[in-house]
Amino acid sequence: MLDLAFLRQNRDLVARAASQKNVAVDLDAILALEAEVRANKTDIDRLRAERNAISAGFKTAAPEEKAELGRRAKEAGAKASELEAGIADKEAELRDALLRLPNIPWEGAPVGPDENSNVVMRTEGKLPDFGFTPRDHVELCEMNDWADLGRIVQVSGSRQYCLKGRLALLEANLMAWALGKIAAAGFTPITVPALVREEAFVRQGQFPGHKEETYQLPNDDLWLAGTAEVALTSLHSGEILDLSKGPVLYAGYSPCFRREAGSAGRDVRGLLRVHQFAKVEQFVICEADEAVSADWHAKLLGLAEALLADLEIPYQVIETSTGDMGLGKFRMNDIESWVPSLGKYRETHSCSTLHDWQARRANLRYRDAEGKVRVAHTLNNTALASPRILVPLLENHQTEDGRVRLPKALQGLMGGEWL
Ligand SMILES: Nc1ncnc2c1ncn2[C@@H]1O[C@H](COS(=O)(=O)NC(=O)[C@@H](N)CO)[C@@H](O)[C@H]1O
């Protein structure tokens, strides 16, 4: 959410951001509504003051004036209550409109309508030269009985998976390994629920725009989060944080649930795009300083790249376009990992700087060095998400006879060289 004063002073900047992010906004209507709410509040205060002044003078008034004074006090009170009733609806309408305003994208973001405008920033790691036609991850799983992607359909429907044997162990080990790596970088490991209240999705930014992507449990007034980011954004809502010793750093672990309503027909085979997955999330709440945010953005990206280097997976870093980065982002860099069977890179990580857009919605504030209370900045990045990461992991390290050699970083965890 943008600061109202910022919106008033930067109307054209916000309008440009909205067009660059394909968001339909009516800024004049928002500004007019905001002015009306402000005017109503002024009237309510004036009417209240008038009624209080009358009441204060009532005791000392001449008896013949009391009736008239009583009538005027009553009238002022009634007028104030009438304005208050109307203002509640207008404020709800104003808040809903403000929640749908985009953050301003950084000037280095490629301007374009969707992922086709994304730009490759840099490519890391040598692509494997197999000397044979690489199998895809589904075939490798079938050959080694590492997953049941068939019979699970009659249990849970499409876009579900169950891992078996050494691959089930690998997923559990990978999540613990990633959590340990990010914790070792100074982040507090934390497990958070996926069962979350609606307000947490509004604060994180997924609502009110994208309810169709989220599973709802209406009997319990709960929804299933698609990322630990949702719970982590709300964990400290309403607090005045002490950031004097540095930012709040969380390595969040949670199950993630996504309806993938918008992905019909895409990635229906295998482990790339499923309804429930596990993820270790990097999450930062820092002081409202663009340079500090930029520094943490680089750190979050570096940590994810270090994990991919340990997994010996070739990848590329993407500068995400204005149309693809989403409403709340100032900057987003996706990391795409090489998938040999597809002959292309696929997204496995998403690193975002949001400045105060999310923190304002979640009411995350701190006291700065001068003692002034300010809205904080937030950032997040994937550390590792499974089963998607298993796709490049299995495929890049396969041998001609369908075995998978583990990267050195995992051999200790998994008790040997081979999965
Ligand atoms: N439906 C899905 N199935 C499997 N993995 C998924 C799915 N959706 C997302 N992921 C994984 O989760 C990662 C992060 O998802 S994201 O929406 O891009 N970004 C976030 O959730 C941020 N909180 C950063 O993690 C993706 O890069 C991908 O690796």
Side-chain angles (χ1 to χ4, degrees), residues 5-18:
F6 176 87
L7 172 59
R8 275 203 293 273
Q9 288 146 25
N10 299 278
R11 192 202 166 294
D12 294 346
L13 194 61
V14 177
R16 188 161 62 99

Side-chain angles (χ1 to χ4, degrees), residues 159 204 226-230 256 258 260 263 271-282 329 332 334-335 347-352 380-389:
R159 291 193 191 282
Q204 175 256 352
T227 170
E229 180 199 340
V230 178
C256 304
R258 300 192 184 197
E260 292 296 341
S263 312
L271 301 175
L272 268 174
R273 193 179 293 275
V274 293
H275 288 312
Q276 174 183 340
F277 59 98
K279 177 162 60 57
V280 176
E281 178 80 357
Q282 303 178 69
K329 313 298 173 64
M332 184 160 95
D334 280 357
I335 303 178
E347 181 208 317
T348 50
H349 296 72
S350 185
C351 184
S352 295
N380 66 74
N381 187 17
T382 317
L384 216 53
S386 181
R388 186 174 293 185
I389 197 62

Side-chain angles (χ1 to χ4, degrees), residues 280-342:
V280 176
E281 178 80 357
Q282 303 178 69
F283 188 81
V284 178
I285 307 173
C286 66
E287 61 183 294
D289 177 308
E290 292 211 10
V292 171
S293 266
D295 184 40
W296 278 104
H297 187 99
K299 278 197 182 98
L300 297 181
L301 200 55
L303 285 168
E305 291 188 58
L307 294 185
L308 284 172
D310 279 343
L311 297 178
E312 298 168 33
I313 293 175
Y315 64 87
Q316 59 184 18
V317 180
I318 301 296
E319 190 62 61
T320 306
S321 74
T322 53
D324 189 37
M325 68 166 68
L327 205 62
K329 313 298 173 64
F330 168 76
R331 179 176 192 179
M332 184 160 95
N333 290 120
D334 280 357
I335 303 178
E336 300 179 344
S337 297
W338 179 247
V339 178
S341 66
L342 299 175

Side-chain angles (χ1 to χ4, degrees), residues 49-357:
E50 190 182 318
R51 185 194 55 189
N52 294 346
I54 293 170
S55 311
F58 199 74
K59 288 187 287 303
T60 55
E64 65 277 12
E65 283 172 3
K66 283 194 191 271
E68 173 57 15
L69 283 175
R71 195 189 57 70
R72 275 178 43 211
K74 201 161 165 301
E75 188 184 331
K79 193 99 186 60
S81 310
E82 186 192 320
L83 279 174
E84 259 160 12
I87 208 172
D89 296 346
K90 284 181 203 158
E91 282 190 312
E93 188 188 338
L94 176 61
R95 177 169 168 80
D96 183 73
L98 290 172
L99 287 170
R100 296 171 188 268
L101 289 183
N103 201 353
I104 313 299
W106 80 295
E107 71 287 347
V111 177
D114 54 31
E115 68 273 3
N116 298 318
S117 309
N118 292 349
V119 169
V120 175
M121 268 174 77
R122 102 181 106 81
T123 301
E124 306 289 347
K126 198 170 94 41
L127 296 188
D129 177 9
F130 291 108
F132 58 88
T133 307
R135 294 180 172 87
D136 79 2
H137 69 284
V138 175
E139 224 181 309
L140 290 167
C141 287
E142 281 161 359
M143 285 174 76
N144 295 282
D145 197 16
W146 282 336
D148 190 321
L149 302 176
R151 60 173 72 90
I152 201 67
V153 175
Q154 54 95 4
V155 175
S156 303
S158 64
R159 291 193 191 282
Q160 303 276 11
Y161 72 104
C162 80
L163 303 180
K164 287 162 64 178
R166 299 268 296 159
L167 193 56
L169 290 173
L170 178 61
E171 179 178 73
N173 276 310
L174 268 177
M175 291 293 99
W177 173 74
L179 194 59
K181 285 279 183 180
I182 305 302
F187 289 65
T188 302
I190 185 169
T191 62
V192 288
L195 284 170
V196 172
R197 291 204 169 107
E198 180 164 358
E199 185 55 24
F201 290 88
V202 175
R203 294 173 181 153
Q204 175 256 352
Q206 182 144 347
F207 292 0
H210 288 287
K211 289 192 170 182
E212 76 287 348
E213 288 298 336
T214 311
Y215 287 107
Q216 184 178 11
L217 293 91
N219 297 336
D220 309 282
D221 199 17
L222 288 169
W223 300 68
L224 280 173
T227 170
E229 180 199 340
V230 178
L232 292 172
T233 304
S234 274
L235 200 61
H236 295 281
S237 274
E239 294 171 25
I240 308 288
L241 295 163
D242 173 12
L243 301 182
S244 59
K245 295 180 197 60
V248 173
L249 301 174
Y250 282 130
Y253 176 70
S254 78
C256 304
F257 298 85
R258 300 192 184 197
R259 296 192 63 239
E260 292 296 341
S263 312
R266 280 170 53 202
D267 308 321
V268 292
R269 177 176 161 80
L271 301 175
L272 268 174
R273 193 179 293 275
V274 293
H275 288 312
Q276 174 183 340
F277 59 98
K279 177 162 60 57
V280 176
E281 178 80 357
Q282 303 178 69
F283 188 81
V284 178
I285 307 173
C286 66
E287 61 183 294
D289 177 308
E290 292 211 10
V292 171
S293 266
D295 184 40
W296 278 104
H297 187 99
K299 278 197 182 98
L300 297 181
L301 200 55
L303 285 168
E305 291 188 58
L307 294 185
L308 284 172
D310 279 343
L311 297 178
E312 298 168 33
I313 293 175
Y315 64 87
Q316 59 184 18
V317 180
I318 301 296
E319 190 62 61
T320 306
S321 74
T322 53
D324 189 37
M325 68 166 68
L327 205 62
K329 313 298 173 64
F330 168 76
R331 179 176 192 179
M332 184 160 95
N333 290 120
D334 280 357
I335 303 178
E336 300 179 344
S337 297
W338 179 247
V339 178
S341 66
L342 299 175
K344 54 184 173 184
Y345 292 89
R346 294 303 304 271
E347 181 208 317
T348 50
H349 296 72
S350 185
C351 184
S352 295
T353 289
L354 297 105
H355 285 166
D356 60 9
W357 188 88

